[in-house]
Amino acid sequence: MGLDDDAREYHRREPPGKIEISTTKPTNTQRDLSLAYSPGVAAPCMDIHEDENRAYEYTAKGNLVGVVSNGTAVLGLGDIGAQASKPVMEGKGVLFKRFADIDVFDIELDQTEVDAFCNSVRAMEPTFGGINLEDISAPECFEIEQRLRTEMDIPVFHDDQHGTAIISGAGLINAADILEKDISEMNITFSGAGGSAIATAKFYLELGAKRENITMCDSTGIITETRVEEEGLPEYKEQFAQDISNGDLADAMAGADMFVGLSVGGIVSKEMVASMAEDPIVFAMANPDPEITYEDAREARDDTVIMATGRSDYPNQVNNVLGFPFLFRGALDVRATDITENMKRAAAEALADLARQDVPDAVVKAYGDQPLQYGPEYIIPKPVDPRVLFQVAPTVAEAAMDEGVSRTEIDTDAYAERLEARLGKSREMMRVVLNKAKNNRQRVALAEGNDEKMVRAAAQIEEQGIAKPVLLGNRSEIEQTTTRLGLDFHPDIIDPRADKTEKYADRLYELRQRKGITRSEADELVRRDTNYLGSAMVEQGDADALLTGLTHHYPSALRPPLEVIGTAADAEYAAGVYMLTFKNRVVFIADATVNQNPSEEVLAEITKHTATLARRFNIEPRAALLSYSNFGSVENEGTAKPRDAAATLRADPEVDFDVDGEMQADTAVVEEILTDTYEFSELDEAANVLVFPNLEAGNIAYKLLQRLGGAEAIGPMLVGMNKPVHVMQRGDEVKDIVNLAGVAAVDAQNQE
């Protein structure tokens, strides 16, 4: 099947369409229903009657946007009518939900007359926290938006006009920065004079462009004062008329610093690009085909051409999904009455700033592992970059508060953390630890310092104030990598081949001389293997924690820390723990990496270490020792181990958390089974620390839960060591290194 047939099947598959409504409160009992509807609903109704702003407190209004269209200018389809536009409006709702967790009702109005359309939308104000106008033809779209903004006390935003303006505006800020051009002095040529082009030109004025430097062309040619007089051009075009001779697009592009295409594909030639000023900016944003292809624009010049299009298969995609979800997120969360020019500018500047930051590995992978680094081919963030939400929305919210169009005030720092939590429970949990780490920065050694991921992670650890990173590796290579990545970062480096490491070799020899290591071998190990160097630094107190394992097998990375640092005074064994986060639940899985067939003593020790780790995430541990047996239902050596370990823990006066076992996995995690079938259990709530009977079970379980259960995994976190050490999995991403650095830093704080 072709794309069209695939799309038809996608939309008609049961249930038809792309959206549904789900409840957010319990509706299982009669009491639930009486609270949700009659008679309980009367109380919030009367509160809202006394103060309408309480609708934001009691209803979904504050997270609900109306996507409204009359279908007169749909995508590239034109005037297809209100009913035919519904798949597009549903799709818009999907994007709101996917990128900013905003709920949407799509409203298709069979109204083409401005008064009737405005009256219909205005009457729906009590329902929504904001209105997104969509696919309405010019010039009616200008009047409709302006009237509704004036007449309504909630934000009204026509994305077709302003979305492209904001995203391309971010691109303009960065293109001008890279080319060292002053926006106020740039000559800018527009191809297109519809709603999007007019709004974009106006927005560029907000960014510093001069009206006299903007030349706008419609399908007839340059919009000039002569044409205004002779042809009676509409007011929205007249505002950009220039007192120059009539001409065509080629005339307008000659000598221009920037071309902005919001018209039709294929109308710009190589020769026209060649006629532009030195190092031109070409934003050819017609869809699906740009005014000139990326290849032709680059081939037209020998100097730098910064090119942007509306397509995802070229660099610098101008995609409106980078704007409207996050603009509305910030506006809704301060209960804004409007979306102002300052709020739009704040969004553009936040996007521009984000493009200058290091790009997460997950985003790079999503785009085929192509390099993404601030420069001519990366001036706009990618739509799948999760950081857009918690960087753009707070900036917009702050602008709304500064301008006085918000109904409520928020702490933007705390707000950014709440937004980050919307992206997943793991981010919320890691924020707890990272905030603790920032309170007292620890010195964390990164053993594989030559690796690019380690360098990038070190830069983020330093920038975010999580710890003081120390890269172990070749100084020259690390500095070259830092320069190549464009990182504004001067790392602390220990080069084992160039710096003094004698005391670490001495200590390694002292510790291992009766384990077959000579003094010369100790010296060679410290200089050749940064795992030994980092372990000795931590053991000697010159670093507070160690991270390793990114380029090594887990056992080979773990061996040096075990030999040099060893386990804690109260521990005989180390263990690897994963924290798995679900939408509304967090569980800790142990042991998943170290002990193959632990005894009951080892299981008990692992449980205590894991409970301590859970508390570092502000989780009160409830531990279950797992088996295929429930409380003696099967008697053999395998089921006896977790049962005896649980009994040992319950008898230990130092154990101050709930623990029980042996039990099956569903018994441990389903509260109803515990309370209804095994009311005698020490656990009266579902367990959040799950201790597996052997390494196979733990490793299999965490991987199944991650891949099939939709869990996000953080770890493995090594517990039971004498000083903080964490061994990563090979191929971990930068965010994993940063997260484990935070965990290691908090471990070190606790040891202090």
Side-chain angles (χ1 to χ4, degrees):
M1 292 193 298
L3 179 63
D4 288 349
D5 288 336
D6 286 345
R8 291 186 179 101
E9 178 59 28
Y10 174 88
H11 283 79
R12 73 161 64 98
R13 188 185 311 144
E14 288 293 331
K18 301 186 283 285
I19 58 176
E20 67 177 4
I21 295 175
S22 62
T23 58
T24 60
K25 301 294 189 298
T27 56
N28 299 318
T29 67
Q30 178 58 41
R31 178 167 175 78
D32 291 339
L33 295 176
S34 68
L35 293 172
Y37 196 54
S38 181
V41 76
C45 286
M46 293 310 298
D47 287 351
I48 296 170
H49 176 66
E50 294 175 5
D51 179 2
E52 290 191 350
N53 283 329
R54 301 195 75 175
Y56 289 96
E57 179 183 347
Y58 289 133
T59 76
K61 178 185 177 83
N63 196 52
L64 186 62
V65 167
V67 174
V68 186
S69 180
N70 60 10
T72 53
V74 178
L75 292 174
L77 304 176
D79 185 357
I80 60 174
Q83 190 71 79
S85 74
K86 189 171 180 64
V88 179
M89 302 312 124
E90 283 190 359
K92 193 79 170 193
V94 169
L95 298 179
F96 266 108
K97 188 66 176 178
R98 160 65 177 79
F99 288 99
D101 196 25
I102 293 173
D103 297 319
V104 162
F105 289 158
D106 61 289
I107 309 292
E108 293 75 35
L109 295 176
D110 193 10
Q111 302 279 10
T112 56
E113 198 273 325
V114 170
D115 285 341
F117 186 94
C118 288
N119 289 340
S120 297
V121 176
R122 188 174 60 250
M124 294 186 287
E125 180 169 344
T127 301
F128 297 108
I131 297 291
N132 182 96
L133 300 172
E134 194 77 16
D135 293 350
I136 302 169
S137 61
E140 290 81 8
C141 63
F142 300 117
E143 183 179 354
I144 286 171
E145 185 191 42
Q146 187 55 47
R147 280 184 51 177
L148 290 176
R149 285 185 64 189
T150 302
E151 296 169 0
M152 300 182 75
D153 204 28
I154 57 175
V156 177
F157 181 80
H158 186 205
D159 186 45
D160 300 317
Q161 289 185 58
H162 307 295
T164 301
I166 292 168
I167 314 310
S168 70
L172 169 58
I173 292 170
N174 281 341
D177 173 69
I178 292 167
L179 297 175
E180 298 182 350
K181 294 193 175 191
D182 187 335
I183 295 176
S184 67
E185 297 177 358
M186 289 172 53
N187 291 310
I188 304 174
T189 295
F190 276 77
S191 175
S196 183
I198 296 295
T200 300
K202 285 184 174 181
F203 188 65
Y204 287 5
L205 297 179
E206 294 288 329
L207 297 179
K210 302 297 185 186
R211 191 179 298 268
E212 59 268 24
N213 294 338
I214 294 178
T215 303
M216 185 170 288
C217 301
D218 60 13
S219 58
T220 302
I222 299 173
I223 297 174
T224 64
E225 292 183 359
T226 301
R227 284 188 58 203
V228 170
E229 294 175 2
E230 294 177 352
E231 302 174 26
L233 296 179
E235 182 180 350
Y236 70 90
K237 291 186 179 183
E238 181 183 352
Q239 62 187 311
F240 285 101
Q242 294 285 18
D243 185 14
I244 59 177
S245 300
N246 291 345
D248 58 16
L249 181 59
D251 297 321
M253 288 183 64
D257 294 287
M258 182 181 190
F259 167 77
V260 182
L262 291 160
S263 51
V264 294
I267 63 172
V268 173
S269 66
K270 289 184 179 181
E271 291 73 21
M272 293 160 74
V273 173
S275 74
M276 296 177 69
E278 182 181 0
D279 297 332
I281 302 167
V282 178
F283 285 6
M285 297 178 285
N287 269 322
D289 299 313
E291 286 80 358
I292 183 171
T293 66
Y294 172 81
E295 294 84 1
D296 284 351
R298 294 293 298 271
E299 290 172 5
R301 311 276 305 212
D302 293 329
D303 56 0
T304 302
V305 179
I306 295 186
M307 176 82 172
T309 71
R311 295 177 57 131
S312 61
D313 52 348
Y314 291 136
N316 301 324
Q317 182 190 18
V318 178
N319 190 329
N320 284 18
V321 80
L322 279 167
F324 66 84
F326 316 107
L327 196 67
F328 269 99
R329 180 77 275 160
L332 290 172
D333 290 338
V334 293
R335 303 176 186 175
T337 59
D338 193 11
I339 291 177
T340 66
E341 292 302 315
N342 284 340
M343 293 164 70
K344 289 183 278 188
R345 179 169 181 165
E349 290 174 344
L351 287 170
D353 179 69
L354 183 58
R356 305 184 190 195
Q357 300 176 26
D358 188 44
V359 182
D361 293 333
V363 177
V364 176
K365 289 180 180 178
Y367 288 86
D369 289 320
Q370 59 178 302
L372 296 177
Q373 183 179 334
Y374 182 58
E377 296 196 349
Y378 183 70
I379 59 173
I380 304 170
K382 296 296 187 181
V384 298
D385 193 329
R387 300 171 300 168
V388 179
L389 173 62
F390 53 85
Q391 295 219 12
V392 175
T395 307
V396 171
E398 187 171 17
M401 291 187 292
D402 290 344
E403 202 165 357
V405 295
S406 65
R407 290 185 177 89
T408 187
E409 298 284 319
I410 61 173
D411 179 335
T412 53
D413 290 336
Y415 174 52
E417 293 186 7
R418 293 199 305 273
L419 289 173
E420 191 173 4
R422 283 182 179 269
L423 299 178
K425 192 73 174 176
S426 64
R427 288 179 177 268
E428 180 183 350
M429 300 309 302
M430 277 311 308
R431 184 52 53 190
V432 171
V433 168
L434 295 180
N435 285 341
K436 288 181 180 180
K438 293 176 183 179
N439 291 332
N440 180 11
R441 293 176 63 194
Q442 302 291 302
R443 189 171 162 88
V444 177
L446 306 178
E448 296 135 311
N450 288 356
D451 190 272
E452 180 181 306
K453 287 184 180 179
M454 280 296 198
V455 176
R456 291 168 54 207
Q460 292 186 26
I461 292 165
E462 177 72 33
E463 180 184 7
Q464 296 177 37
I466 295 168
K468 300 173 183 176
V470 184
L471 291 164
L472 310 184
N474 184 284
R475 179 174 281 101
S476 177
E477 285 187 28
I478 294 171
E479 290 175 345
Q480 289 175 14
T481 300
T482 302
T483 301
R484 176 171 54 81
L485 295 174
L487 299 175
D488 185 15
F489 170 56
H490 302 286
D492 188 355
I493 301 170
I494 302 295
D495 186 337
R497 293 292 184 180
D499 297 334
K500 293 182 178 180
T501 58
E502 289 85 354
K503 76 170 186 175
Y504 303 125
D506 289 342
R507 182 56 176 160
L508 179 59
Y509 175 59
E510 182 182 347
L511 291 168
R512 305 296 294 176
Q513 59 188 344
R514 293 187 178 274
K515 301 291 184 180
I517 291 182
T518 66
R519 176 61 181 76
S520 61
E521 288 173 336
D523 186 69
E524 178 61 21
L525 278 174
V526 166
R527 292 187 178 279
R528 175 174 50 83
D529 189 338
T530 53
N531 286 320
Y532 278 102
L533 173 60
S535 298
M537 289 176 62
V538 172
E539 199 274 340
Q540 289 285 281
D542 293 335
D544 301 302
L546 173 67
L547 295 188
T548 185
L550 189 64
T551 60
H552 294 78
H553 286 293
Y554 195 91
S556 62
L558 179 58
R559 187 178 301 111
L562 282 174
E563 291 178 355
V564 177
I565 297 172
T567 57
D570 61 346
E572 294 292 333
Y573 302 92
V577 180
Y578 277 92
M579 181 174 73
L580 299 183
T581 63
F582 303 84
K583 185 174 182 180
N584 295 308
R585 176 177 288 189
V586 177
V587 296
F588 294 84
I589 300 288
D591 170 20
T593 62
V594 179
N595 299 284
Q596 290 190 355
N597 189 26
S599 65
E600 66 180 77
E601 293 81 6
V602 177
L603 287 176
E605 188 175 306
I606 289 171
T607 305
K608 289 195 284 186
H609 293 323
T610 308
T612 300
L613 177 66
R615 283 177 168 151
R616 288 177 198 154
F617 288 88
N618 290 355
I619 299 287
E620 187 57 32
R622 298 184 298 276
L625 286 95
L626 301 183
S627 175
Y628 64 94
S629 167
N630 272 322
F631 305 105
S633 63
V634 177
E635 281 285 353
N636 59 42
E637 183 180 352
T639 61
K641 279 198 309 181
R643 184 187 316 140
D644 293 343
T648 298
L649 289 165
R650 290 197 301 274
D652 187 339
E654 294 184 358
V655 172
D656 60 350
F657 56 87
D658 293 338
V659 57
D660 212 340
E662 89 287 16
M663 67 180 74
Q664 295 176 359
D666 56 345
T667 302
V669 299
V670 179
E671 189 171 317
E672 288 78 8
I673 298 178
L674 276 170
T675 56
D676 295 350
T677 307
Y678 304 104
E679 71 282 354
F680 57 82
S681 172
E682 296 292 324
L683 301 180
D684 54 9
E685 294 183 60
N688 51 30
V689 170
L690 305 179
V691 181
F692 286 79
N694 55 50
L695 181 61
E696 279 184 301
N699 194 271
I700 290 169
Y702 106 78
K703 289 182 177 178
L704 283 174
L705 287 168
Q706 183 183 19
R707 300 300 181 183
L708 299 181
E712 293 185 61
I714 294 174
M717 292 171 276
L718 199 60
V719 297
M721 295 294 290
N722 192 37
K723 292 191 176 182
V725 176
H726 291 294
V727 180
M728 296 167 285
Q729 297 282 12
R730 289 205 298 178
D732 272 355
E733 297 181 1
V734 171
K735 69 177 179 64
D736 301 315
I737 303 171
V738 174
N739 285 342
L740 281 180
V743 174
V746 173
D747 288 346
Q749 289 173 0
N750 290 335
Q751 289 203 359
E752 281 186 340

